[in-house]
Amino acid sequence: MSSHILVLLALIFFAGEFLVDADLIAYFDVTKYGASPDGSSDCVKAFLSAWKDACMYSGKSGVLVPQGKFHLSAVEFQGPCKSPITFLLQGTLLATSDRNHFYDESWILFEHINGLTVKGHGTVNGQGSFAWSYNNCKKSSNCLSLPPSLSFHYVTNSYISDIHSVDSKGVHIKMYGCEDIKISGVTLIAPANSPNTDGIRIGTSSKVHISNSNIATGDDCIAILTRSENIDISDISCGPGHGVSIGSIGWTHQHEQVLGVTVRDSTFLGSTNGVRIKTWANTAYSEVENIYFNNLKMINVANPIIINQHYCPNGPGCQSGESSVQIKNVTFSGIHGNTRTQEAVQLLCSGAMPCKDVKLIDINLSYNGGDGGAKSVCSNVRGSTYGTVIPSGCL
């Protein structure tokens, strides 16, 4: 009897011990292919063998990673698969601590798959503490990036839920060329001083829904990059980290675009930014349009509301001139709480291409520092205010 049938029968028989979907997914257990849960033996060959059999199975299938610690070097799970496929993570995956692999393009990559589910209450441990000192991006614009923990390239109609990612070397979850992705119940954690450890980075993707997740990192909790549209974010907790950012836009000096982003019903705790749009100076013509930030709570956040069209994080070498990124139809509504910096609202737009149709609605942000209250600082922005707006004086 084949290994996948045995696993399926075991899953049915021990329904109280294993997670079984209502439709009885046929799971391929990586330990049946030789993966050892000892935390030291590289299991990449066993994982790839289990994936190959699951991907070629005619019917709903999955790869099962049971409890235990599995050392896994860089791996690519390639599609397309014959049917919808699940990656069920119950154990812990450990990345390499070998510095010869610190600049791999990715650690765990899912690519060219329709109908992928990645779920379970297991953990992806990037062991970033071994690698963060090798990140020199603050010193060099030509630096090499450390690898993301989970990458999804050209993945569609898929779901990621209940995964824990800790100490990623680079980004925790990276999406490129994806469409119709739902992310829910994930926990992404790295120290506040860990460099470039974005929680979720979205690029060239559409119809992405992120909800009910906890993100505490050393960089953006969520970063939305060019050619992304129809992004919906709700019920997240962000902090520490750099907030939810659109951009940066304009780095490539080619036309870039972000359209249709909503961030709502979320809490920012001790983050260096709340919600932010950032563009470089001296850019090609680009657009950021139809952005909605609604019902957000700020607790001890440094910059709760910020548009910065002269973004240049590393100081020396910043380009002069004005940004040619047109920002328009941006709404900040129902944002309340407190800030640890006095400039609670910063709308610093381009002198060459001012922001248009910016709305501040029912804003209430107090300064929890020393003398004086919260302030607004604005330039080159056109818009209006509605309801009570504290601090006032911007539009």
Side-chain angles (χ1 to χ4, degrees):
M1 186 177 294
S2 66
S3 61
H4 77 264
I5 295 175
L6 288 172
V7 173
L8 179 57
L9 291 174
L11 287 168
I12 296 171
F13 184 76
F14 296 105
E17 296 183 20
F18 295 88
L19 177 61
V20 182
D21 285 9
D23 294 332
L24 295 179
I25 295 174
Y27 283 102
F28 295 74
D29 186 335
V30 295
T31 63
K32 305 299 182 183
Y33 291 81
S36 176
D38 59 10
S40 58
S41 304
D42 189 0
C43 300
V44 67
K45 290 183 179 180
F47 274 63
L48 286 172
S49 294
W51 175 266
K52 180 180 178 181
D53 285 353
C55 188
M56 296 302 294
Y57 181 74
S58 297
K60 290 185 178 181
S61 62
V63 171
L64 171 64
V65 183
Q67 292 184 359
K69 294 183 178 180
F70 298 86
H71 173 69
L72 195 64
S73 57
V75 61
E76 297 182 3
F77 297 116
Q78 293 285 345
C81 297
K82 286 188 174 181
S83 302
I85 188 167
T86 296
F87 189 89
L88 178 58
L89 178 60
Q90 296 176 334
T92 297
L93 304 181
L94 297 174
T96 183
S97 58
D98 181 354
R99 66 181 183 180
N100 291 319
H101 295 281
F102 285 173
Y103 299 112
D104 289 345
E105 185 174 349
S106 60
W107 174 26
I108 301 169
L109 170 66
F110 296 90
E111 189 169 47
H112 297 295
I113 305 166
N114 179 58
L116 170 69
T117 297
V118 178
K119 66 179 182 179
H121 294 276
T123 298
V124 176
N125 187 337
Q127 302 208 95
S129 60
F130 292 98
W132 293 324
S133 63
Y134 291 85
N135 182 316
N136 67 338
C137 290
K138 285 190 175 182
K139 299 178 181 179
S140 171
S141 60
N142 296 317
C143 64
L144 296 175
S145 298
L146 299 178
S149 285
L150 292 169
S151 297
F152 299 88
H153 294 178
Y154 310 106
V155 172
T156 58
N157 188 31
S158 296
Y159 184 48
I160 305 162
S161 70
D162 300 321
I163 296 296
H164 292 68
S165 174
V166 299
D167 292 348
S168 57
K169 290 182 176 70
V171 177
H172 287 266
I173 296 175
K174 176 188 173 186
M175 283 182 281
Y176 182 84
C178 296
E179 183 176 3
D180 196 8
I181 306 292
K182 295 180 175 62
I183 300 176
S184 178
V186 300
T187 300
L188 313 176
I189 298 175
N193 62 351
S194 57
N196 301 116
T197 53
D198 290 351
I200 302 173
R201 182 181 293 175
I202 305 166
T204 315
S205 298
S206 63
K207 299 180 183 177
V208 177
H209 303 269
I210 303 168
S211 64
N212 191 31
S213 295
N214 179 41
I215 306 173
T217 70
D219 208 316
D220 293 328
C221 291
I222 300 173
I224 302 162
L225 305 185
T226 186
R227 297 195 296 276
S228 294
E229 59 183 87
N230 296 330
I231 312 297
D232 181 71
I233 300 164
S234 64
D235 296 303
I236 68 160
S237 173
C238 169
H242 296 179
V244 173
S245 295
I246 296 173
S248 58
I249 301 297
W251 173 255
T252 64
H253 297 285
Q254 299 176 356
H255 176 260
E256 300 183 26
Q257 189 177 62
V258 174
L259 303 175
V261 176
T262 298
V263 183
R264 56 189 170 90
D265 307 325
S266 297
T267 299
F268 296 77
L269 178 61
S271 53
T272 56
N273 303 290
V275 287
R276 173 171 62 158
I277 302 173
K278 51 183 178 177
T279 79
W280 295 82
N282 192 23
T283 61
Y285 176 74
S286 301
E287 302 102 355
V288 175
E289 300 179 10
N290 302 330
I291 313 298
Y292 302 93
F293 303 113
N294 182 55
N295 189 28
L296 305 177
K297 184 175 183 179
M298 305 288 171
I299 302 173
N300 197 35
V301 172
N303 303 293
I305 295 173
I306 181 168
I307 295 176
N308 179 5
Q309 292 212 256
H310 293 86
Y311 176 73
C312 185
N314 299 327
C318 294
Q319 294 187 347
S320 60
E322 295 292 332
S323 175
S324 295
V325 179
Q326 178 66 77
I327 297 174
K328 66 180 180 181
N329 194 20
V330 179
T331 298
F332 301 93
S333 175
I335 300 176
H336 58 96
N338 55 69
T339 171
R340 64 179 186 267
T341 57
Q342 202 162 13
E343 295 179 353
V345 177
Q346 301 175 56
L347 305 179
L348 307 176
C349 297
S350 169
M353 196 161 289
C355 299
K356 297 179 180 179
D357 302 322
V358 176
K359 300 179 181 67
L360 295 174
I361 304 172
D362 296 328
I363 307 297
N364 190 347
L365 295 167
S366 61
Y367 175 47
N368 60 9
D371 297 334
K375 297 179 180 180
S376 296
V377 179
C378 302
S379 61
N380 305 309
V381 56
R382 300 169 185 171
S384 52
T385 63
Y386 301 88
T388 300
V389 175
I390 302 172
S392 61
C394 217
L395 297 175

